[in-house]
């Protein structure tokens, strides 16, 4: 797995991780299609995962509709790129943290309600 924000290295060896990068969970690059469903919409959308951690996900979404912070989502990330069908039980609850837009492309950061490694614990 590749860290998205690895510690920097300077002339004197590895530097400390910057204070701004105090994540609870290690983030990894994850290039994969994602199923996305807004809480107020019954239709699902397709998005691409950029990176993910147990606590959240960064998605790239092509849409005319911009999602706003605080908006509720259900997100489904398949186990591998070739998995085409995700059931409703495979989707996890999340909240939009931020959305950066460039034309019709939106980069959406969402935090999972329950870390994904605990989601099946009951």
């Amino acid at each position: 797995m590749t860290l998205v924000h690895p510690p920097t290295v300077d002339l004197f060896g590895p530097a400390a991780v910057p204070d701004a990068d105090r994540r609870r969970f290690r983030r990894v690059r994850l290039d994969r299609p994602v199923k996305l469903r807004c809480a107020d919409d019954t239709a699902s959308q397709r998005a691409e995962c950029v990176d993910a951690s147990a606590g959240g996900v960064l998605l790239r979404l092509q849409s005319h509709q911009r999602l706003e912070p605080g908006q509720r989502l259900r997100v489904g990330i398949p186990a591998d790129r070739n998995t085409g069908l995700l059931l409703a039980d495979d989707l996890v609850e999340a909240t939009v943290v931020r959305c950066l837009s460039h034309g019709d492309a939106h980069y959406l950061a969402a935090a999972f309600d329950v870390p994904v490694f605990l989601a099946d614990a009951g």
Side-chain angles (χ1 to χ4, degrees), residues 17 38 62 80 83 110 120:
V17 175
C38 298
Q62 292 292 130
D80 62 61
T83 302
D120 295 332

Side-chain angles (χ1 to χ4, degrees), residues 30-71:
L30 188 63
D31 182 21
R32 185 156 303 163
V34 173
K35 187 176 196 176
L36 180 67
R37 183 167 291 193
C38 298
D40 57 354
D41 187 9
T42 56
S44 63
Q45 300 179 35
R46 297 292 290 180
E48 286 289 321
C49 184
V50 175
D51 62 41
S53 74
V57 66
L58 178 63
L59 304 173
R60 181 176 39 252
L61 176 67
Q62 292 292 130
S63 174
H64 296 290
Q65 176 188 4
R66 178 183 160 87
L67 302 177
E68 297 297 330
Q71 191 166 355

Side-chain angles (χ1 to χ4, degrees), residues 2-118:
T2 305
L3 287 174
V4 173
H5 301 289
T8 57
V9 176
D10 61 19
L11 294 174
F12 304 105
V17 175
D19 287 340
D21 193 20
R22 290 188 231 164
R23 300 188 187 278
R24 288 179 38 204
F25 305 102
R26 189 169 80 173
R27 186 170 291 227
V28 296
R29 289 189 192 278
L30 188 63
D31 182 21
R32 185 156 303 163
V34 173
K35 187 176 196 176
L36 180 67
R37 183 167 291 193
C38 298
D40 57 354
D41 187 9
T42 56
S44 63
Q45 300 179 35
R46 297 292 290 180
E48 286 289 321
C49 184
V50 175
D51 62 41
S53 74
V57 66
L58 178 63
L59 304 173
R60 181 176 39 252
L61 176 67
Q62 292 292 130
S63 174
H64 296 290
Q65 176 188 4
R66 178 183 160 87
L67 302 177
E68 297 297 330
Q71 191 166 355
R72 302 287 298 149
L73 304 171
R74 297 195 60 182
V75 180
I77 304 173
D80 62 61
R81 280 193 73 67
N82 299 323
T83 302
L85 178 65
L86 288 174
L87 303 174
D89 290 344
D90 296 329
L91 304 179
V92 295
E93 301 285 332
T95 302
V96 175
V97 176
R98 69 181 169 279
C99 184
L100 303 173
S101 300
H102 182 69
D104 285 345
H106 306 290
Y107 289 86
L108 177 76
F112 298 133
D113 290 1
V114 176
V116 290
F117 61 86
L118 297 176

